[in-house]
């Protein structure tokens, strides 16, 4: 189970792209060879990030850790 779970998580098609940090919104940069399956998964990742208010969480974390 462990290897299979790790393989699924590490498969670029499972996420569809990379989350871009340092923006005031959610951006998923799709891989150049992304197909419909990848793009669909990228949309699910973006939806999950929005539902968990990731942008605000990052802003809060940065603000709390300023020196």
């Amino acid at each position: 189970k462990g290897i299979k779970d790790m393989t699924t998580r590490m498969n670029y098609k499972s996420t569809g792209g990379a989350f871009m940090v340092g923006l005031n919104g959610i951006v998923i940069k799709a891989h150049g060879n992304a197909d419909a399956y990848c793009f669909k998964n990228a949309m699910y990742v973006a939806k999950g990030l929005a539902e968990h208010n990731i942008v605000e969480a990052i802003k809060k974390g940065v603000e709390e850790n300023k020196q």
Side-chain angles (χ1 to χ4, degrees):
K1 178 182 175 182
I3 297 291
K4 185 175 181 181
D5 288 345
M6 184 180 74
T7 302
T8 299
R9 285 179 179 244
M10 304 277 300
N11 183 350
Y12 75 94
K13 289 189 173 194
S14 296
T15 58
F19 175 60
M20 307 295 266
V21 178
L23 304 169
N24 286 322
I26 296 170
V27 174
I28 304 292
K29 170 64 175 91
H31 299 289
N33 61 345
D35 56 15
Y37 177 77
C38 293
F39 192 74
K40 177 193 73 156
N41 286 335
M43 298 300 289
Y44 283 126
V45 169
K47 180 179 182 276
L49 292 171
E51 288 172 346
H52 288 91
N53 297 312
I54 193 68
V55 173
E56 291 305 316
I58 291 171
K59 286 180 182 180
K60 182 179 176 186
V62 167
E63 193 61 38
E64 290 173 353
N65 291 293
K66 279 187 177 178
Q67 294 185 0

